[in-house]
Amino acid sequence: LDGALISRKHVVADRVKGNASNTDGASTEVIAAQASGVRINVTDVTLTNMSATNIYVELKDGTTVIWRFPVPATGGVTHSFQTPLTGTAATALNFDPSAAATTVYCSVSGYISKV
């Protein structure tokens, strides 16, 4: 009645998720690029570092860093974004450990959108 938009958190039809691992410290795709005009919106990330070395991991929109996480040795980090990280349309989501480490795991969930 007031013209206010009502939305419900976590009720999104176009969910995406990805899991990947890395041992060489190179940038690795975790969610493939979507169709032309479609963006990946990241809501949750979990990173696990199985090595004895402290590292950081960059979450990347293609090659552009959009978030950096400290990931302690034999530990991990989980983060939920209150405001989703929105990538560039038709661009893959990658994760990039700061150094070779045996093994770094990345799990990401979110949704896709043309907005």
Side-chain angles (χ1 to χ4, degrees):
L1 294 173
D2 294 333
L5 178 65
I6 298 173
S7 64
R8 295 186 183 140
K9 189 174 180 180
H10 306 299
V11 182
V12 180
D14 294 321
R15 295 189 185 275
V16 291
K17 61 184 176 182
N19 293 290
S21 63
N22 181 284
T23 58
D24 64 5
S27 186
T28 304
E29 182 179 280
V30 67
I31 298 178
Q34 303 299 300
S36 177
V38 178
R39 301 170 183 269
I40 298 170
N41 297 277
V42 178
T43 57
D44 301 285
V45 177
T46 298
L47 298 160
T48 306
N49 178 5
M50 302 301 290
S51 78
T53 305
N54 292 321
I55 61 169
Y56 64 87
V57 173
E58 295 174 336
L59 198 59
K60 293 183 171 183
D61 175 37
T63 59
T64 303
V65 176
I66 56 174
W67 207 268
R68 187 173 290 123
F69 299 91
V71 188
T74 66
V77 62
T78 296
H79 188 78
S80 293
F81 292 96
Q82 184 73 23
T83 303
L85 288 180
T86 301
T88 305
T91 304
L93 183 73
N94 301 310
F95 80 104
D96 191 357
S98 60
T102 305
T103 298
V104 180
Y105 297 98
C106 178
S107 297
V108 176
S109 65
Y111 61 93
I112 56 173
S113 172
K114 289 187 175 184
V115 183

